[in-house]
Amino acid sequence: MSNRERHSGAVTLRGSVTRSSTADQALLDSRGRPDWKTKDAWRTLRILSEFVEGFETMADLPPSVSVFGSARSAENSAECRLGYELGGALARAGYAVITGGGPGVMEAANKGVAEAGGLSVGLGIELPFEQGLNDWVELGIDFRYFFVRKTMFVKYAQGFVVLPGGYGTMDELFEALTLVQTRKVTQFPVVLMGTSYWGGLIDWLRTTMLGEGKISKEDLDLMMLTDDVDEAVNHIVNTSETAP
Ligand SMILES: CC(C)=CCNc1ncnc2c1ncn2[C@@H]1O[C@H](COP(=O)(O)O)[C@@H](O)[C@H]1O
């Protein structure tokens, strides 16, 4: 998609009317915006409409798994190959797969699912450097607000699989872990794929975070670490609330 085309909810902007700010930014980055006191209250209606659209569209999904990973990985990278294999294996196990609908690992996972005949879902986000949903998404929703979109990833999935990624991926991982730790969601498997990528983080969680008493021993057991696609899928099947 050209940089001169932007989507903002139902609105498409091209050419001279494209703008570089996003709805999320307008809400959160209110410093220096004199009208925020009056306008933010009305923004709640737009936020509400995203929840309505998301809930209505997602409610009929079969059992699903959300898959996360880097937007920047090259198509032939190890993590994209893993994402592709994982997408296919989840589809064959009967799951729909939900991703962020973007490039990199998300695209690889969507491709794996679509090619295996499964349902490939993408929850896109409006970004200043938007690229649009990848070509392998079959059911796609574009969100303006990160926090609305994140609700959908958790609410409509039986579990998470997290592949190598950056801040966005870490955000999604730690949100899920916090929700499970605080029992906001129960019976929700979280699988980390890529032992060499995540190994350093797991060591730090054990030695520093657990070592200094910031989490409990059981909290470390809330996620499973593997390189093996079948092991990841079996873990989801055996520990999630609803199997396909
Ligand atoms: C090249 C580039 C940065 C494109 C960004 N395009 C994106 N499209 C859709 N979801 C995204 C995007 N960037 C980050 N995310 C979200 O954050 C995660 C990836 O972020 P990161 O690359 O790990 O930090 C994804 O699982 C996705 O849910």
Side-chain angles (χ1 to χ4, degrees):
M1 179 185 305
S2 121
N3 286 338
R4 302 298 290 163
E5 176 168 318
R6 295 279 316 283
H7 295 266
S8 186
V11 180
T12 296
L13 301 164
R14 288 187 181 142
S16 62
V17 294
T18 46
R19 50 177 187 251
S20 59
S21 69
T22 61
D24 236 349
Q25 189 183 0
L27 177 74
L28 299 173
D29 200 11
S30 51
R31 290 179 307 271
R33 188 162 61 74
D35 60 1
W36 69 272
K37 282 188 185 167
T38 47
K39 287 222 168 140
D40 278 0
W42 291 106
R43 276 177 213 278
T44 55
L45 295 178
R46 184 184 271 175
I47 292 166
L48 189 65
S49 75
E50 284 212 335
F51 276 112
V52 172
E53 190 92 55
F55 288 165
E56 273 209 342
T57 310
M58 304 284 285
D60 292 326
L61 283 190
S64 307
V65 174
S66 290
V67 173
F68 303 102
S70 175
R72 303 173 186 215
S73 299
E75 202 182 335
N76 56 358
S77 62
E79 60 264 22
C80 279
R81 287 199 299 275
L82 199 57
Y84 176 80
E85 295 298 324
L86 175 72
L90 286 168
R92 284 188 290 277
Y95 289 104
V97 171
I98 307 169
T99 76
V105 172
M106 295 172 267
E107 180 165 1
N110 284 128
K111 183 177 179 183
V113 190
E115 286 192 349
L119 177 58
S120 170
V121 184
L123 306 182
I125 181 76
E126 182 197 353
L127 295 170
F129 42 88
E130 185 181 30
Q131 295 162 330
L133 291 170
N134 71 61
D135 290 343
W136 299 96
V137 169
E138 293 170 337
L139 175 64
I141 310 177
D142 274 314
F143 288 87
R144 289 185 169 103
Y145 298 102
F146 256 117
F147 57 91
V148 179
R149 172 180 180 259
K150 279 170 63 178
T151 304
M152 308 297 152
F153 283 130
V154 177
K155 183 169 166 59
Y156 294 101
Q158 265 62 55
F160 276 14
V161 184
V162 185
L163 282 79
Y167 284 171
T169 302
M170 293 280 270
D171 175 44
E172 287 149 348
L173 167 64
F174 281 100
E175 177 179 53
L177 292 174
T178 307
L179 291 171
V180 182
Q181 182 194 43
T182 55
R183 303 200 177 281
K184 298 289 178 188
V185 291
T186 51
Q187 271 192 273
F188 195 84
V190 178
V191 178
L192 277 182
M193 292 205 76
T195 50
S196 72
Y197 189 81
W198 296 113
L201 175 70
I202 300 287
D203 286 346
W204 182 82
L205 294 179
R206 185 173 296 115
T207 52
T208 304
M209 207 181 256
L210 176 62
E212 297 195 12
K214 305 293 189 286
I215 54 170
S216 322
K217 167 85 184 62
E218 310 82 76
D219 296 332
L220 275 184
D221 300 332
L222 296 180
M223 57 194 150
M224 187 251 205
L225 178 65
T226 184
D227 289 313
D228 189 275
V229 165
D230 292 333
E231 203 178 345
V233 175
N234 286 339
H235 183 69
I236 302 264
V237 171
N238 295 331
T239 55
S240 66
E241 207 162 33
T242 316

